[in-house]
């Protein structure tokens, strides 16, 4: 089956997992990058629309979810909505916790 589209829209959960394993961008990652790209281009309405559609739980890592919150807050600040920007959820604690190797006996 040939699947065309931006972002890739076919195959459901299984196809999404296969894309992730191959190192391809997932649908959630496309949405995340759309926020930052449209903000950088000055198209704040499109960036905010992408932020509304983004489901942070679809992002594979805490760092990506933190990036989504940061990019959304920056876009809101650029749009002049400081109250909404500062109401954005903060980064998950796991972003700041170092990954330490297991202790040796």
């Amino acid at each position: 089956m040939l699947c065309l589209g931006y972002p890739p829209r076919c195959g459901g959960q299984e196809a999404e997992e296969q894309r992730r394993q191959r190192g391809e961008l997932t649908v959630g990652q496309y949405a995340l990058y759309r926020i930052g790209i449209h903000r950088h281009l000055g198209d704040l309405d499109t960036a905010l629309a992408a932020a509304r559609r983004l489901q942070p739980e679809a992002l594979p890592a805490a760092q990506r979810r933190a990036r989504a919150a940061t990019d959304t807050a920056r876009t809101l600040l650029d749009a002049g909505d400081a109250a909404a920007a500062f109401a954005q959820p903060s980064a998950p604690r796991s972003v700041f916790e170092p990954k330490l190797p297991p202790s040796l006996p």
Side-chain angles (χ1 to χ4, degrees), residues 6-9 13 15-38 47 50-51 53-69 71-72:
Y6 175 79
R9 296 179 190 177
Q13 249 344 44
E16 186 77 4
E17 182 58 33
Q18 289 173 355
R19 278 192 285 277
R20 187 175 299 145
Q21 289 173 356
R22 288 190 306 260
E24 297 176 14
L25 291 177
T26 65
V27 173
Q29 290 168 318
Y30 272 108
L32 169 60
Y33 291 123
R34 286 176 64 99
I35 298 168
I37 289 167
H38 286 291
R53 286 190 306 271
L54 178 66
Q55 297 176 349
E57 63 277 359
L59 297 171
Q63 290 84 354
R64 298 271 190 225
R65 292 186 290 279
R67 171 75 180 263
D71 284 356
T72 301

Side-chain angles (χ1 to χ4, degrees), residues 6 39 43 50 66 77 103:
Y6 175 79
R39 176 185 166 263
D43 188 355
L77 281 174
S103 60

